[in-house]
């Protein structure tokens, strides 16, 4: 078994893992940018100053009134997950760069 491992080129494997992690980090970063742009901002009463109103997109049903909060909660969870994936990918790349040469 040890003879088989002696012929394996670990630098090629580590390079492949680094490339895969870099691609994953790039995809996660792009996904974070997309999700943050989809989220609505916290206006805190600024619609009165700008003249816009929220009553146009509210519905009379219970589902319609809570659809926005469900969407915002899902987008927030997706942001946290993508940020976690990005952080883990970057940490693993740093560890591979530091300890395995």
């Amino acid at each position: 078994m040890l003879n088989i491992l002696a012929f394996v080129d670990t630098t090629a494997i580590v390079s492949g893992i680094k490339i895969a992690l870099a691609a994953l980090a790039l995809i996660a970063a792009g996904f974070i940018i997309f999700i943050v742009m989809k989220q609505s901002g916290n206006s805190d009463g600024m619609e009165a100053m700008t003249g816009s109103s929220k009553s146009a997109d509210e519905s009379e049903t219970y589902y319609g009134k809570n659809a926005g909060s469900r969407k915002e909660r899902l987008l927030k969870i997706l942001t946290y997950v993508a940020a976690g994936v990005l952080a883990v990918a970057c940490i693993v790349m740093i560890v591979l760069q530091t300890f395995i040469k």
Side-chain angles (χ1 to χ4, degrees):
M1 184 69 169
L2 292 175
N3 292 336
I4 294 172
L5 293 176
F7 294 112
V8 175
D9 186 18
T10 58
T11 57
I13 294 172
V14 171
S15 295
I17 292 172
K18 286 181 187 178
I19 291 171
L21 286 172
L24 182 66
L26 186 64
I27 291 169
F31 188 71
I32 289 172
I33 291 170
F34 176 74
I35 292 296
V36 169
M37 295 296 287
K38 291 283 289 181
Q39 292 177 5
S40 64
N42 295 336
S43 61
D44 294 333
M46 294 299 289
E47 1 1 267
M49 192 164 71
T50 60
S52 64
S53 68
K54 289 186 175 182
S55 63
D57 60 353
E58 288 181 352
S59 178
E60 293 297 322
T61 64
Y62 179 75
Y63 181 77
K65 289 183 179 181
N66 292 323
S69 64
R70 284 191 299 271
K71 178 183 168 191
E72 291 297 320
R73 189 173 348 128
L74 176 65
L75 290 176
K76 188 180 285 191
I77 289 171
L78 287 176
T79 304
Y80 289 148
V81 168
V85 167
L86 178 63
V88 168
C90 290
I91 290 170
V92 171
M93 280 194 304
I94 290 170
V95 168
L96 286 177
Q97 186 73 25
T98 305
F99 295 118
I100 301 174
K101 292 188 179 195

